[in-house]
């Protein structure tokens, strides 16, 4: 982590105002009650550390999609009580993020309280990366700290321009995230395996093209595996029984050729679970690839032979990076393959034999469903930023914090 500035690099913070860019974009129900506090809870250690160092902490974040106009449904006021509860300190909410109200609130801050400012995205200038808006934002601050890795792939004003206006550093969560991802993909212990799932090859081209040059073994799963199966000569896969993308067959062949040239072993299904209907507990059976029914059945998961094959390959590895489930995990029993491979990876992790890094919305849900979310080395809460990191792209909100 020596290449990035951390809180340790900021020196004495006693009496200083620190503007903390957090990600408090948490899910809420129709009554605007928070349904999952994970993002709030994960930024609390940074707030506590800054307060222990004597800093006055001003928290900024986006929330929902207000599209540049104030609207109460997307107000961060709904989050203040949950932040207060998780932090154990009084949180004062300010119904703007720039201007006189904010300046007065900072002047009147008590040492043991935190300010939470209104949604950054109430201003169009935030998403445009506007420098003048960033200057207004940090006007009240002495120091800037970013803990919002999940937004680091966006060059928004609060992520990039604001960091250039003040001494800046990563918060604990950002530091933890970048450290884990670097160990997982940039400087991994080998052999390195990646599991990539998703419904369409076309949505993960950049990811696949990057991974085949970096990993030793690549498990292609979910609906996107159907296109690779067809490209590798499994004629029983068709548009009636699978999510095969016929217009991506040649692309899949090119990716497989690149993998071969780079010594990357691609692992595809050996057997599949097919179902009569796309619903939970529908009639289903496990079949070898040559016996996939031409129509009337849908590919929903991979079978026992595939699970055993993936787990055997995992036993040979030191590092696993995971993005995407193996099957339709939302519908039982088609979560079986995801659950069993995840459980095996978790067991190896707990035994100190494997470093496991996972991320992406569906992946987090799938691993929670498998009951292993606390047994992996690191699970990222970031969606797009995690994916772009895996694609080998530089993230503006991380690059700006380089030493």
């Amino acid at each position: 982590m020596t290449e990035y500035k951390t809180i340790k690099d900021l020196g004495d913070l006693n009496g200083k105002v620190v503007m903390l860019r957090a990600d408090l974009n948490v899910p809420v129900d129709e009554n605007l009650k928070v349904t999952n506090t994970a993002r709030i809870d994960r930024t609390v250690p940074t707030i506590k550390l800054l307060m222990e160092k004597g800093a006055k902490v001003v928290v900024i974040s986006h929330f929902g999609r207000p599209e540049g106009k104030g609207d109460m449904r997307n107000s961060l006021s709904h989050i203040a009580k949950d932040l207060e509860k998780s932090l154990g300190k009084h949180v004062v909410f300010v119904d703007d993020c720039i201007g006189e109200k904010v300046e007065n609130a900072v002047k009147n801050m008590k040492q043991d309280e935190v300010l939470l400012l209104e949604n950054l995205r109430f201003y169009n200038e935030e998403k445009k990366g506007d420098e003048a808006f960033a200057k207004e934002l940090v006007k009240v601050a002495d120091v800037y700290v970013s803990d919002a890795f999940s937004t680091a792939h966006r060059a928004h004003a609060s992520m990039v321009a604001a960091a250039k206006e003040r001494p800046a550093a990563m918060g604990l969560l950002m530091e933890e995230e970048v450290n884990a991802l670097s160990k997982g993909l940039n400087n991994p212990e080998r052999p390195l395996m990646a599991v990539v799932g998703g419904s369409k090859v076309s949505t993960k081209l950049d990811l696949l093209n990057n991974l085949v040059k970096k990993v030793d073994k690549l498990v292609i799963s979910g609906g996107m595996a159907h296109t690779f199966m067809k490209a590798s000569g499994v004629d029983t896969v068709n548009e009636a029984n699978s999510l095969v993308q016929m217009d991506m067959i040649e692309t899949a062949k090119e990716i497989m050729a690149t993998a071969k040239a780079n010594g990357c072993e691609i692992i595809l299904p050996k057997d599949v679970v097919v179902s009569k209907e796309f619903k939970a507990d529908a009639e289903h059976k496990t079949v070898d690839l040559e016996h996939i029914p031409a129509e009337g059945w849908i590919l929903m998961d991979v079978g026992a032979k595939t699970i055993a094959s993936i787990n055997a390959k995992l036993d040979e590895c030191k590092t696993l990076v995971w993005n995407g489930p193996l099957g339709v995990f939302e519908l039982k029993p088609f979560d079986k393959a995801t659950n069993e491979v995840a459980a095996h990876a978790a067991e190896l992790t707990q035994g100190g034999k494997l470093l496991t890094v996972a991320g992406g919305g569906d992946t987090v849900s799938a691993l929670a469903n498998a009951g292993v979310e606390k047994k992996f080395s690191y699970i990222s809460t970031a969606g797009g930023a995690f994916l772009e990191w895996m694609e080998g792209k530089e993230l503006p909100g991380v690059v700006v914090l380089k030493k």
Side-chain angles (χ1 to χ4, degrees):
M1 283 304 298
T2 51
E3 85 182 278
Y4 298 101
K5 292 175 281 188
T6 66
I7 290 170
K8 290 181 190 136
D9 297 307
L10 293 173
D12 184 15
L13 295 176
N14 192 39
K16 291 187 176 176
V17 177
V18 177
M19 182 156 279
L20 176 66
R21 177 42 161 116
D23 178 5
L24 303 180
N25 189 26
V26 292
V28 293
D29 63 18
E30 63 277 5
N31 298 314
L32 300 173
K33 298 282 184 223
V34 176
T35 56
N36 185 329
T37 62
R39 283 184 167 167
I40 295 171
D41 300 337
R42 288 180 83 169
T43 208
V44 160
T46 298
I47 300 174
K48 284 185 172 174
L49 176 64
L50 293 169
M51 291 181 83
E52 282 164 17
K53 288 180 174 290
K56 293 180 176 180
V57 183
V58 178
V59 181
I60 56 172
S61 177
H62 67 288
F63 178 61
R65 296 179 182 274
E67 303 307 334
K69 56 181 184 293
D71 96 66
M72 274 313 293
R73 180 157 192 90
N74 288 303
S75 171
L76 273 165
S77 58
H78 308 304
I79 312 301
K81 286 295 172 196
D82 292 273
L83 177 59
E84 187 169 272
K85 186 179 176 184
S86 187
L87 183 60
K89 299 281 184 186
H90 183 46
V91 173
V92 177
F93 176 73
V94 184
D95 64 359
D96 207 339
C97 59
I98 56 172
E100 202 175 324
K101 277 185 187 173
V102 176
E103 290 168 35
N104 289 334
V106 171
K107 277 177 197 163
N108 296 322
M109 266 184 93
K110 296 186 177 72
Q111 196 63 42
D112 62 343
E113 64 188 19
V114 169
L115 284 193
L116 173 63
L117 307 189
E118 186 54 282
N119 193 342
L120 295 163
R121 291 187 187 170
F122 280 4
Y123 289 88
N124 277 319
E125 290 87 345
E126 160 65 358
K127 287 173 86 169
K128 289 176 182 173
D130 189 85
E131 290 178 13
F133 176 70
K135 280 185 169 71
E136 278 297 307
L137 203 54
V138 298
K139 197 174 179 180
V140 295
D142 302 302
V143 172
Y144 169 92
V145 173
S146 179
D147 229 9
F149 178 82
S150 47
T151 318
H153 58 313
R154 309 282 187 215
H156 291 171
S158 67
M159 293 301 303
V160 177
K164 293 176 180 176
E165 291 295 327
R166 294 289 183 273
M170 292 182 165
L172 298 176
L173 178 57
M174 174 86 91
E175 186 182 348
E176 182 185 30
E177 189 103 32
V178 171
N179 204 12
L181 299 194
S182 295
K183 279 185 189 171
L185 208 53
N186 295 24
N187 305 295
E189 270 199 73
R190 294 186 180 274
L192 164 63
M193 178 191 276
V195 172
V196 178
S199 57
K200 294 181 176 180
V201 177
S202 52
T203 62
K204 295 204 173 173
L205 278 179
D206 288 348
L207 177 59
L208 293 169
N209 279 314
N210 185 46
L211 289 179
V212 292
K213 294 169 194 159
K214 285 194 171 181
V215 307
D216 303 298
K217 303 173 195 292
L218 175 61
V219 176
I220 298 178
S221 59
M224 62 196 296
H226 307 165
T227 302
F228 280 87
M229 289 158 71
K230 188 77 172 176
S232 62
V234 181
D235 294 329
T236 49
V237 171
N238 62 48
E239 288 172 295
N241 62 21
S242 72
L243 290 175
V244 65
Q245 289 180 278
M246 295 305 292
D247 59 337
M248 298 301 292
I249 297 290
E250 288 308 312
T251 303
K253 286 180 180 176
E254 287 166 17
I255 291 169
M256 289 191 285
T258 304
K260 191 173 181 181
N262 285 275
C264 168
E265 178 188 3
I266 289 186
I267 299 154
L268 293 173
K270 294 180 180 298
D271 56 350
V272 293
V273 179
V274 293
S275 168
K276 279 281 192 186
E277 297 174 86
F278 194 88
K279 70 174 191 180
D281 301 314
E283 184 186 343
H284 62 279
K285 61 183 179 180
T286 303
V287 295
D288 289 333
L289 304 186
E290 64 268 26
H291 297 132
I292 298 172
E295 54 185 297
W297 296 79
I298 320 157
L299 275 66
M300 298 285 278
D301 200 5
V302 294
K305 289 178 186 174
T306 308
I307 295 168
S309 167
I310 296 170
N311 284 346
K313 298 289 183 187
L314 259 182
D315 289 337
E316 301 169 4
C317 292
K318 295 281 189 189
T319 308
L320 169 68
V321 180
W322 189 325
N323 175 254
L326 301 179
V328 187
F329 79 95
E330 303 94 335
L331 304 175
K332 292 187 181 303
F334 310 112
D335 57 350
K336 187 174 191 290
T338 303
N339 292 352
E340 291 193 11
V341 173
H344 189 62
E347 187 183 334
L348 291 171
T349 306
Q350 295 299 301
K353 295 173 183 172
L354 187 70
L355 176 88
T356 43
V357 178
D362 277 354
T363 314
V364 176
S365 302
L367 297 181
N369 182 64
V372 301
E373 70 269 45
K374 291 189 170 65
K375 295 177 182 174
F376 269 45
S377 308
Y378 193 79
I379 295 182
S380 170
T381 54
F386 179 84
L387 204 54
E388 288 199 17
W389 184 284
M390 283 185 72
E391 288 168 0
K393 294 174 182 171
E394 285 203 319
L395 309 185
V398 173
V399 172
V400 75
L401 299 170
K402 278 189 173 178
K403 284 184 176 173

